[in-house]
Each structure stands twice: as C-alpha cells, then as structure tokens.
Amino acid sequence: MNKNYFLGSVNVDYLQLSYSYDFNKVNIIMKKALVFGITGQDGSYLAEFLLKKKYKVHGVKRKSSSFNTSRVDHIYEKNNKNFFLHYGDLTDSLSVNSLINLIKPDEIYNLAAQSHVAVSFKIPNYTANVDAIGCLNILEAIKSSRMIKKIKFYQAGTSEMFGKVLESPQTEKTPFYPRSPYGVSKAFSYWMTKNYRESYNMFASNGILFNHESPRRGETFVTRKITIGLSKIKLGLQKKLVLGNIYSKRDWGHAKDYVEAQWLILQTKKPDDFVIATKKQFSVKYFINLVAKELKMKIFWRGKGLNEKGYDENNRVIIECSKKYFRPSEVDALLGNPAKAKKILNWKPKISIKELVKEMVEIDYRKFLNDKKK
Ligand code: NAP
Ligand code: GDD
C-alpha cells in the first residue's frame, strides 16, 4: 500500500504550501506558478512576489530579436534555483499545451498581452490573436490536461472593458462597453474565463484591474512618457513633450499592490471576478503637475483644448498636445470601486499616487542624469 496520502493545501499566514504526509515525515513541496507575460511590468513584480512566498516560478518569454528580459534579469541572477524561463508564445497553442503539461503548475497567471490601447487600433487582428485567442488557448490546454481540478487560472482583465462607462464608479456589476480592439479582445477573454468556470467547473478567475504604473512601466504609456519626458527636459536632454488627450481621467495605482491582488484572487475558496482599483481619479494634466512638482519644475498652462500648452519659466513651450496621440475612440474617464476585493480578499492599495510619482521620477531622473554624465 502506498504510504503517501495527499492532503491538499493549507493556508499558513498566506504561505500556501502543498504537502504530502509520509507517516513520520512531512515533505514540503513548493507550489508552482506558470506566468505568461513574465517579462512585462506586472510579470516581473509578480515573480518577485511569488518567490518571496516560496513558489517555484516558471515564466514564458517570447523569442525576440533583442533582449526582452531586462525586467527579470536581476531575479534570474539571485534566485535561479526557483526561477525558470521557457520560450513560448500565447498564439502558439502547441507551445502553451506543452508548457502546461511539462510544468504541471498549481497556478497559471495570464498576464501576456499586446497591452497598448492605441496600438491595438493599428494591429487589431494581432491584438485579438494574443489578447482574446491567447487566453482561450490556455483555457483549452487546462481543460484537455489531466489537471483541470488542480490548476487555478488568473486572467488579466482590465478597466478598458468598461470603456465608455455606463456608471461611475465601476464595479463587478457594471456592464462592459469596450472602445478599442484591445478592450473588445479582453472582454472576450473575460467571458471565456467565466464560461470555462461555469461549464467545466474550473478554478478560473478574472481580475478587472484599473491602470497601474511603476518605474518598470512601458515607456509609451502616458505616466512613464511623462516621467521620462520631464526628467529629460529638466536635464536639457529634450526640448518638448508632445502628448495626446491631457484631460482624460484614470484611476492610477502601483503595480506592486496590484500583483498582490492577482495572487489573492487565486487564494479564495471559490473562483470569482474582482475589480482592483484605488477609487481615486485624476487627469493626465494633474499627473503632469505632480511630476513637475517632484522635479521642482514650474509649468504655466495657457490655452484651451488641443491648443493648451505648458510653458517653463522662460516662456518656452515644453508641453503640447497633438491629434497624433488621440485614439479613434477614447475612454474619457475610469474610476473603480474595489469594495468587493476589500471585503473578500482583504485587499486595499497601500501606495498613493504621490508616492508612485516620487518613485518613478527618482528612478527616471537618476538614470538620465547618469547618462548625461557619461
Ligand atoms: P506589459 O508590460 O505590456 O507586458 C505584457 C507581457 O506580455 C510582456 O511580457 C510581453 O512580452 C508578453 N507578451 C506579449 N505578447 C505575447 C505573446 N504573443 N505570447 C506571450 N507573451 C506575450 O503589460 P503589463 O502592464 O505588465 O500588464 C499585464 C497584463 O495586465 C496585460 O495582459 C495587460 O493587458 C493587463 N492589464 C494591465 C493594466 C495596467 O495598467 N498595467 C491594467 C489592466 C490590465 P515581451 O516582453 O516580449 O513584449
Ligand atoms: N499612451 C499615451 N501617450 N496616452 C496618452 C498620451 C500619450 O502621449 N497623451 C494622453 N494620453 C491619454 C490616453 O489617451 C489615455 O486616455 C490615458 O492617457 C492613459 O493612456 P495609457 O497610459 O496609454 O493607458 P490606457 O489607459 O490607455 O491603458 C492602460 O491601462 C489599461 C487599464 O485601464 C494599459 O495598461 C492597458 O493595458 C490597461 O488595460
């Protein structure tokens, strides 16, 4: 008779461990997470978070013509015993299947996406292949594996699904009205995740995350474009920052707080969907002013609409708006209510927008100062 009895999982002060009992000996087996999108902003913070929780972390990276692992290289060097990178691509269902069957993860996080809203209008077909069909590829792979009962699945949903918002603040009950190929593709994945949960009894949950930023944010998203642009202007490395709609409003949090929520979403008893947000809303213009303040720069605003410009103390234009950065259909204002996450996950954001701006500015300014000195 086999003396090993699998006893399931226990929750020890958030440290989730699977264990097997061998009469006198308890073997602690580390949980395994498989993260699609490990090289992105969230993937890198989630990897750090899971390693601290004693997971073995397997990440999927794409083949690219230049290095794309800069956000996780430091982890690889420090924790190489528990951190593994594999080649794969969400659009390649064979690679998704074989990775899942090879790794046999306890948890899968689908953070992989063509995540730029404006770019999704230029490459809608590609965006749908990655952001919609890619999620379906994972769900099908889990379903056809022998691990449908074991694997917990997290899908990175987005406030962009609310788009032209039908109520404010937005909750889990607010109907979707996506406004871009990105938002529509993510809505498909949201519904597929819910459908597989209801059809096959899978542990599959959606996070509906509002904008979250960090010093690791992609450089073409507005917050990072502003922290980089103004740092360079302050250092005399750039003359002007050209932006799109500076009146749009977002609910901005810090990526570190949001990856914790992603993990908590998979630690609940029952799979479910959660809005993750700060319930605070600011305009892009307000964000610019916060960054300028942090850099001790003065910006004087003059004009209205597309003609509104930001001037420095010497009356030089340092910020202007261009139609080039407007989207064919805009999402004007997003504001999330994370009450359900607070109640069920005991989650709330810890890092304020001012602290976020301070950290982003410090890192970007220092980087360009060092570059200048070289
Ligand atoms: P990100 O920095 O753009 O990272 C996207 C990741 O997906 C990168 O690792 C990228 O790899 C990978 N990827 C892209 N196409 C892929 C493919 N075909 N196969 C496999 N991997 C692929 O995004 P993020 O800000 O970390 O966001 C993480 C997820 O949350 C995304 O799904 C995003 O849509 C969603 N989300 C983000 C926010 C936010 O405010 N940040 C809010 C709501 C939802 P490369 O490094 O090779 O490009
Ligand atoms: N990127 C960008 N560049 N956005 C600009 C610019 C600019 O020069 N000027 C103004 N904006 C405005 C956009 O029109 C938008 O209203 C707002 O700034 C935020 O734009 P992004 O930072 O590109 O983010 P996003 O809100 O479109 O999308 C991000 O958040 C979503 C969650 O709501 C992405 O991370 C998505 O992947 C994510 O799902």
Side-chain angles (χ1 to χ4, degrees):
M1 185 186 148
N2 186 349
K3 289 180 180 174
N4 286 313
Y5 297 98
F6 182 70
L7 296 179
S9 64
V10 279
N11 193 340
V12 190
D13 189 24
Y14 285 153
L15 180 75
Q16 286 262 335
L17 302 168
S18 295
Y19 63 95
S20 63
Y21 181 68
D22 183 8
F23 289 109
N24 301 319
K25 199 169 74 192
V26 174
N27 292 322
I28 302 291
I29 301 165
M30 294 170 85
K31 277 209 164 189
K32 282 183 280 185
L34 173 58
V35 182
F36 289 90
I38 194 103
T39 57
Q41 169 188 256
D42 288 11
S44 64
Y45 283 113
L46 181 66
E48 287 170 354
F49 180 89
L50 293 174
L51 285 166
K52 272 198 197 131
K53 296 243 169 257
K54 306 287 179 220
Y55 278 68
K56 277 196 189 293
V57 177
H58 293 261
V60 181
K61 68 168 178 175
R62 300 194 287 173
K63 166 73 188 83
S64 65
S65 62
S66 51
F67 290 118
N68 61 352
T69 55
S70 61
R71 291 186 179 107
V72 289
D73 284 342
H74 65 288
I75 309 177
Y76 201 75
E77 282 148 24
K78 264 199 219 154
N79 293 290
N80 54 11
K81 271 200 316 215
N82 295 325
F83 185 67
F84 310 88
L85 289 177
H86 308 264
Y87 279 112
D89 195 300
L90 260 201
T91 60
D92 178 353
S93 59
L94 294 178
S95 76
V96 172
N97 254 300
S98 50
L99 280 171
I100 292 175
N101 285 299
L102 172 81
I103 294 159
K104 301 187 175 35
D106 300 279
E107 295 171 8
I108 297 180
Y109 296 84
N110 178 24
L111 310 182
Q114 188 303 94
S115 72
H116 204 286
V117 175
V119 173
S120 78
F121 288 97
K122 305 286 180 198
I123 48 170
N125 191 317
Y126 174 77
T127 302
N129 263 319
V130 182
D131 299 8
I133 304 302
C135 169
L136 181 56
N137 287 339
I138 302 179
L139 289 165
E140 263 302 298
I142 299 173
K143 183 183 143 223
S144 59
S145 74
R146 292 182 176 196
M147 296 166 283
I148 190 163
K149 292 239 154 34
K150 160 186 155 120
I151 298 176
K152 293 179 172 183
F153 174 67
Y154 171 84
Q155 165 57 21
T158 164
S159 47
E160 276 291 308
M161 298 186 297
F162 296 123
K164 190 173 179 184
V165 298
L166 296 173
E167 65 177 356
S168 203
Q170 295 86 57
T171 71
E172 293 78 6
K173 293 200 172 117
T174 306
F176 295 155
Y177 192 146
R179 295 271 279 172
S180 63
Y182 169 80
V184 174
S185 304
K186 285 285 190 176
F188 172 94
S189 291
Y190 170 92
W191 284 111
M192 274 296 171
T193 300
K194 206 171 164 87
N195 182 256
Y196 272 58
R197 173 165 91 217
E198 291 171 0
S199 306
Y200 309 114
N201 208 15
M202 278 172 56
F203 196 111
S205 298
N206 288 290
I208 307 176
L209 272 56
F210 283 64
N211 297 51
H212 46 281
E213 320 293 312
S214 74
R216 298 184 196 167
R217 182 58 143 155
E219 296 177 3
T220 57
F221 295 93
V222 78
T223 56
R224 192 79 198 289
K225 191 170 163 186
I226 294 166
T227 57
I228 290 176
L230 288 188
S231 295
K232 285 174 120 181
I233 291 171
K234 167 111 181 165
L235 288 161
L237 298 169
Q238 181 176 319
K239 289 209 161 81
K240 222 179 355 184
L241 176 59
V242 183
L243 295 166
N245 180 7
I246 58 170
Y247 305 116
S248 70
K249 292 181 185 154
R250 288 292 181 272
D251 177 330
W252 279 295
H254 195 299
K256 257 191 192 173
D257 282 341
Y258 287 45
V259 299
E260 182 191 14
Q262 293 169 2
W263 175 76
L264 284 168
I265 287 172
L266 292 195
Q267 312 313 311
T268 51
K269 281 209 177 106
K270 282 199 294 190
D272 205 344
D273 309 317
F274 294 91
V275 160
I276 302 297
T278 68
K279 211 178 175 196
K280 294 196 175 94
Q281 187 187 58
F282 301 101
S283 68
V284 172
K285 187 175 164 187
Y286 180 86
F287 194 92
I288 299 171
N289 287 330
L290 280 183
V291 173
K293 196 168 170 211
E294 197 55 46
L295 283 165
K296 300 190 176 49
M297 289 168 80
K298 284 215 168 100
I299 300 184
F300 303 91
W301 294 98
R302 275 180 235 136
K304 281 237 158 77
L306 251 184
N307 294 321
E308 179 157 12
K309 293 183 174 46
Y311 296 80
D312 70 5
E313 286 155 321
N314 301 314
N315 213 20
R316 278 188 302 237
V317 177
I318 55 168
I319 294 169
E320 64 183 29
C321 302
S322 163
K323 273 261 176 222
K324 187 178 155 193
Y325 295 108
F326 278 59
R327 287 125 197 227
S329 48
E330 174 64 286
V331 169
D332 295 317
L334 291 171
L335 176 66
N337 181 352
K340 181 176 170 186
K342 188 165 185 232
K343 188 169 167 213
I344 298 177
L345 307 176
N346 195 21
W347 177 89
K348 60 173 193 243
K350 299 181 193 95
I351 306 171
S352 71
I353 191 164
K354 286 194 177 143
E355 289 164 327
L356 167 72
V357 165
K358 190 173 183 329
E359 186 189 346
M360 290 177 75
V361 166
E362 261 173 28
I363 290 180
D364 281 333
Y365 182 77
R366 201 181 326 125
K367 178 189 178 306
F368 292 110
L369 180 65
N370 289 339
D371 286 357
K372 197 181 169 182
K373 281 182 190 158
K374 277 181 195 158

